[in-house]
Amino acid sequence: MHGKESAIIILHEIYGINPHIQWICEQYSAAGFDVLCPNFVKPSDYFAYSREEEAYQYFFKHIGFSSMAHEVKTMLIKARGDYKHVFLLGFSIGATTAWICSETENVADGVICYYGSRIRDYQKITPKCPILLIFAKEEKSANVSELTSVLGQKQLIGLHVLNGNHGFSDPFSQHYNEQSQQIAQYLVDKFLIDLTF
């Protein structure tokens, strides 16, 4: 049995486990969670932000949402047996994967999705647990207001659109927006506290 009663599974962006994801893992570990962070980018290196196009090609050629979601669901089922609370936190492709996993009953206590613009391809999914969706107002690959108006009609969803571009919550990114990052962190902290107490 693990020493902590809550686990959080963190799902990285197309870049892999880069300094931003390492920083996120450290934050949640310091907050008392057991942190699980699968690496879908093999080998264990990560793509620099300047290699965005290459990282996208790699993801769609070698990984894809269905295999990523399948692996995460397997992790969730195992974690469910080990912990009182299990949460899923994803960024970008990780957020879309977390969204896909949210339709599986009784595996996660809560799901948090940061700028999962590809959720637009999976709008028919109905989450079976509380879910917090955080979108950037500026998203080059998606119409955020259209997407959020559809998603906002579903049950169990907390939905927020914050100022900034895709990646606003990442202090290592050129799109970092400190104010929006702090608002997002407040929303996430409140979401987690409400579900664990």
Side-chain angles (χ1 to χ4, degrees), residues 88-112:
L88 196 49
L89 166 63
F91 294 87
S92 193
I93 58 154
T96 300
T97 302
W99 168 259
I100 294 166
C101 292
S102 75
E103 72 174 344
T104 307
E105 293 212 48
N106 300 322
V107 290
D109 293 292
V111 173
I112 302 150

Side-chain angles (χ1 to χ4, degrees), residues 26-39:
E26 286 160 13
Q27 279 191 309
Y28 285 98
S29 182
F33 288 90
D34 267 356
V35 174
L36 309 168
C37 187
N39 186 356

Side-chain angles (χ1 to χ4, degrees), residues 23-24 27-28 89 91 114 132 134 162 168-169 178-192:
W23 177 70
I24 293 289
Q27 279 191 309
Y28 285 98
L89 166 63
F91 294 87
Y114 274 86
L132 176 63
I134 298 170
L162 301 179
F168 69 76
S169 202
E178 188 178 3
Q179 187 181 14
S180 291
Q181 188 269 331
Q182 287 174 353
I183 294 167
Q185 193 60 59
Y186 168 80
L187 294 167
V188 171
D189 291 347
K190 185 179 185 313
F191 179 79
L192 291 169

Side-chain angles (χ1 to χ4, degrees), residues 18-72:
N18 64 5
H20 170 235
I21 298 299
Q22 291 166 10
W23 177 70
I24 293 289
C25 290
E26 286 160 13
Q27 279 191 309
Y28 285 98
S29 182
F33 288 90
D34 267 356
V35 174
L36 309 168
C37 187
N39 186 356
F40 293 95
V41 176
K42 312 285 189 277
S44 59
D45 194 12
Y46 58 86
F47 290 98
Y49 293 135
S50 59
R51 295 166 66 198
E52 181 181 7
E53 190 51 45
E54 191 184 337
Y56 264 108
Q57 298 301 328
Y58 183 90
F59 176 76
F60 288 106
K61 193 172 174 185
H62 299 287
I63 308 165
F65 287 114
S66 61
S67 75
M68 191 168 170
H70 177 75
E71 205 169 315
V72 173

Side-chain angles (χ1 to χ4, degrees), residues 63-192:
I63 308 165
F65 287 114
S66 61
S67 75
M68 191 168 170
H70 177 75
E71 205 169 315
V72 173
K73 284 177 191 174
T74 303
M75 285 184 76
L76 281 165
I77 291 162
K78 183 182 179 325
R80 174 50 88 211
D82 294 340
Y83 296 94
K84 186 176 171 187
H85 302 289
V86 180
F87 299 101
L88 196 49
L89 166 63
F91 294 87
S92 193
I93 58 154
T96 300
T97 302
W99 168 259
I100 294 166
C101 292
S102 75
E103 72 174 344
T104 307
E105 293 212 48
N106 300 322
V107 290
D109 293 292
V111 173
I112 302 150
C113 303
Y114 274 86
Y115 26 85
S117 59
R118 283 278 173 166
I119 289 171
R120 67 186 183 275
D121 299 330
Y122 300 93
Q123 293 181 39
K124 289 189 169 64
I125 281 175
T126 301
K128 301 289 195 304
C129 65
I131 190 161
L132 176 63
L133 299 176
I134 298 170
F135 287 101
K137 196 175 273 183
E138 310 300 324
E139 187 69 70
K140 67 179 180 211
S141 59
N143 183 325
V144 175
S145 57
E146 245 175 56
L147 179 58
T148 53
S149 71
V150 172
L151 298 176
Q153 295 167 24
K154 295 181 185 275
Q155 299 296 312
L156 295 168
I157 291 183
L159 186 59
H160 302 272
V161 180
L162 301 179
N163 286 328
N165 290 286
H166 190 103
F168 69 76
S169 202
D170 175 356
F172 301 90
S173 164
Q174 63 182 11
H175 299 302
Y176 181 56
N177 180 318
E178 188 178 3
Q179 187 181 14
S180 291
Q181 188 269 331
Q182 287 174 353
I183 294 167
Q185 193 60 59
Y186 168 80
L187 294 167
V188 171
D189 291 347
K190 185 179 185 313
F191 179 79
L192 291 169

